Amino acid sequence: DLIEKETLRSKIQRETIREELEKTRWDVFLTLHFRDSKFISFDNGHKIINDWDKRVSRVMVGRKYNHKTYYNRRMTYFGCSGYNDQNQLHTHLLIKVPLDWKTQTRMESFRSLVGRVFSDVGGKDFDFQVIGDTNKDRNNVIRYTTENRHLSIDNVGQLGCSIIISPNYKMGKL
């Protein structure tokens, strides 16, 4: 069960996560919508995102996408999932694309790839926004992504059940 009351522990955890996320220069703010008539749990939504990540990475890198030596050629992401007022799951992802994908043409290709593959794994819709170049732009999406309604608190007052992190994103000690 999720609770809505922010505890001192969760406030400290949330700020620590935000400070850690601010160390990365995120490129894309992506929202994946799982609009479905049946309830999708965080775990099932995260399984779909992991499948999506593998398929996108396979296109970006090739068949050796899962080897650690190629992790720098994959997208990196941090995300938080939540439910809308109709109890439909959605996930906000902060994405860092590899350097060779940062051109306008490649970014358009990446947007197309994201949508096509998300549809292939059963996703319903997505919103794709390139994050502005300023610290304020990046901090705004980090704050939004880690709001209480997206980064929820479990029944013991800790954060985490709604977080999903790419296998190649290494956060500092939280």
Side-chain angles (χ1 to χ4, degrees):
D1 290 318
L2 301 178
I3 58 176
E4 297 204 13
K5 187 174 181 200
E6 188 87 278
T7 64
L8 178 58
R9 180 188 324 197
S10 66
K11 286 179 184 178
I12 292 168
Q13 288 174 330
R14 188 177 314 280
E15 272 314 304
T16 303
I17 289 170
R18 286 176 175 160
E19 288 169 7
E20 186 63 31
L21 291 172
E22 288 170 359
K23 295 177 184 175
T24 300
R25 190 176 176 101
W26 302 103
D27 302 302
V28 174
F29 177 62
L30 179 68
T31 303
L32 301 174
H33 302 278
F34 297 86
R35 296 184 181 118
D36 203 330
S37 57
K38 66 181 191 294
F39 176 80
I40 297 175
S41 67
F42 287 148
D43 286 342
N44 287 338
H46 291 176
K47 285 176 187 172
I48 292 169
I49 291 172
N50 286 327
D51 187 25
W52 168 81
D53 173 40
K54 289 174 187 173
R55 292 176 187 217
V56 169
S57 295
R58 173 73 189 249
V59 172
M60 292 176 80
V61 178
R63 51 186 189 93
K64 294 187 177 186
Y65 73 91
N66 217 23
H67 291 77
K68 288 187 179 184
T69 52
Y70 296 100
Y71 271 10
N72 65 330
R73 295 175 51 197
R74 291 176 67 165
M75 68 177 163
T76 301
Y77 60 85
F78 173 93
C80 298
S81 300
Y83 293 96
N84 65 14
D85 56 358
Q86 295 157 348
N87 215 21
Q88 296 169 324
L89 184 67
H90 67 281
T91 300
H92 297 294
L93 295 173
L94 302 169
I95 297 177
K96 179 176 176 56
V97 297
L99 189 57
D100 60 332
W101 282 77
K102 292 189 187 214
T103 66
Q104 183 174 352
T105 303
R106 294 294 299 268
M107 195 62 88
E108 289 169 8
S109 297
F110 180 66
R111 182 189 191 291
S112 176
L113 173 64
V114 161
R116 186 179 76 247
V117 173
F118 190 56
S119 177
D120 290 347
V121 297
K124 298 300 178 199
D125 195 11
F126 72 100
D127 295 313
F128 184 102
Q129 293 178 299
V130 175
I131 298 171
D133 289 332
T134 69
N135 285 336
K136 183 178 179 186
D137 294 331
R138 285 189 292 280
N139 291 343
N140 284 344
V141 294
I142 288 169
R143 283 209 157 301
Y144 183 78
T145 301
T146 57
E147 283 181 355
N148 194 20
R149 62 188 167 145
H150 303 126
L151 180 53
S152 52
I153 305 166
D154 65 16
N155 56 3
V156 293
Q158 293 192 35
L159 304 176
C161 62
S162 66
I163 294 174
I164 184 163
I165 302 172
S166 65
N168 61 337
Y169 181 47
K170 303 298 179 217
M171 291 185 82
K173 189 175 183 178
L174 296 179

